[in-house]
Amino acid sequence: MLDIRIPIGLMFSILGAILAVFGWFSDPHIYVVHSFGKNVNLGWGCVLLAFGLFMLTLAYVAQQRSKNRGDPK
């Protein structure tokens, strides 16, 4: 059975990586007018990536625990 944390973690990790890369390579002058000089794309991309990796880690730990207990999952 597929753990729901795997697709959620993949989705957030991929979107976070795309947003972080866009923020890393974008022109810093576009942030001066619209977001008080803060690179929100890079910041939120890192947050989304961290959350996605956290979800994938939880899925991995749950899978390992179920294997150790001998559950049929």
Side-chain angles (χ1 to χ4, degrees):
M1 179 176 222
L2 181 64
D3 189 0
I4 191 68
R5 291 173 283 212
I6 293 173
I8 290 173
L10 286 174
M11 180 188 69
F12 276 98
S13 295
I14 291 169
L15 290 176
I18 290 170
L19 193 60
V21 168
F22 176 76
W24 184 268
F25 289 110
S26 62
D27 184 23
H29 297 297
I30 66 173
Y31 301 108
V32 173
V33 175
H34 297 289
S35 59
F36 304 111
K38 304 290 183 196
N39 189 343
V40 291
N41 289 329
L42 180 61
W44 277 105
C46 291
V47 169
L48 291 174
L49 181 61
F51 177 73
L53 293 175
F54 176 69
M55 293 297 283
L56 289 172
T57 303
L58 287 178
Y60 177 76
V61 168
Q63 183 181 22
Q64 294 302 316
R65 281 187 179 174
S66 117
K67 281 183 183 177
N68 289 341
R69 277 193 261 150
D71 290 345
K73 289 184 180 181

